Amino acid sequence: MTTVGILGAGKLGSVLARLAVAAGYRTLVAGSGDPGPVQFILDVMSPGATAASAAQAARSADLVILALPLGKRATIPARELDGKVVIDAMNYWPPTDGILAEFEGVGPSSAVIQQELPRARVVKTFSHLGYHQLEEDARPVGAPDRSALAIAGDDPHAVIQVAGFVDRIGFDPVLVGPLTEGVRFGPGSPAFGVSTDSRALEELLGTRVGADG
């Protein structure tokens, strides 16, 4: 993979853009409006990243990250994501998104996103740490204080690609199984909001590295 597209130019999107640029990826970021003002923000917040429309970012990227509020997912260019590896970094958070009936009592929100993007290969990660933790805790491979990120997905090849991306931008990947296992690190879970190493994260998740769903 050489190009990463990030849909969402807020705090999470900006941090992920900085990490992706630092790791050597061509990075396209789509905000909610015209790319011009977004580029101005990126030049300050994420130097090296390029503003694009959501459709352009989706079409051009090898890997697309959904880093926008769940309530704004209607802006996602679904058709352009056909066949793409898509990272769902969103969470269902009623205090922010309001009550969304389609996410009430159905398990992990990523399962709904996969249904809405049936031809994309959705993988869940970047969702159990805050944007500030992602920025502060990224470390090179082999660093003794490296933190880990949980990953869940139904497509094994997509999961492998995402694990490689996670590793390259500074975190140890911990594979937990299919998308339904995203509940293990969703809001309210023991792992949610906890930045720790892979062994401790495995214990919080109740799984092991490389677990296959």
Side-chain angles (χ1 to χ4, degrees):
M1 297 184 298
T2 61
T3 302
V4 174
I6 300 173
L7 306 187
K11 292 177 179 178
L12 176 58
S14 297
V15 167
L16 292 174
R18 287 196 288 275
L19 294 174
V21 169
Y25 291 96
R26 175 182 177 233
T27 304
L28 307 176
V29 181
S32 58
D34 179 49
V38 175
Q39 187 62 61
F40 177 78
I41 295 172
L42 292 176
D43 288 342
V44 176
M45 302 298 295
S46 307
T50 301
S53 69
Q56 290 169 334
R59 281 195 302 267
S60 301
D62 304 300
L63 173 71
V64 179
I65 304 173
L66 307 181
L68 62 165
L70 193 62
K72 294 184 177 181
R73 72 190 190 285
T75 64
I76 296 171
R79 184 172 298 178
E80 281 78 6
L81 295 177
D82 286 357
K84 300 280 185 175
V85 177
V86 175
I87 292 178
D88 177 19
M90 305 181 293
N91 285 309
Y92 176 39
W93 199 255
T96 300
D97 300 312
I99 300 298
L100 302 176
E102 60 270 41
F103 292 97
E104 286 289 311
V106 298
S109 59
S110 291
V112 176
I113 298 303
Q114 179 66 86
Q115 291 174 2
E116 295 181 348
L117 304 174
R119 296 181 179 86
R121 297 180 287 161
V122 176
V123 177
K124 183 76 166 179
T125 193
F126 297 129
S127 57
H128 67 91
L129 294 184
Y131 68 89
H132 58 289
Q133 293 169 303
L134 290 169
E135 180 156 50
E136 294 169 3
D137 296 345
R139 297 288 189 276
V141 175
D145 58 343
R146 206 177 202 220
S147 292
L149 281 168
I151 301 173
D154 295 336
D155 185 305
H157 298 292
V159 168
I160 290 171
Q161 286 181 281
V162 171
F165 176 70
V166 164
D167 183 47
R168 186 165 163 181
I169 68 169
F171 297 87
D172 288 332
V174 173
L175 312 185
V176 304
L179 279 178
T180 53
E181 295 299 302
V183 294
R184 294 175 182 261
F185 53 96
S189 70
F192 191 74
V194 179
S195 183
T196 188
D197 61 30
S198 57
R199 179 172 296 181
L201 180 58
E202 289 176 58
E203 293 177 357
L204 291 172
L205 294 165
T207 187
R208 59 182 176 82
V209 174
D212 59 25

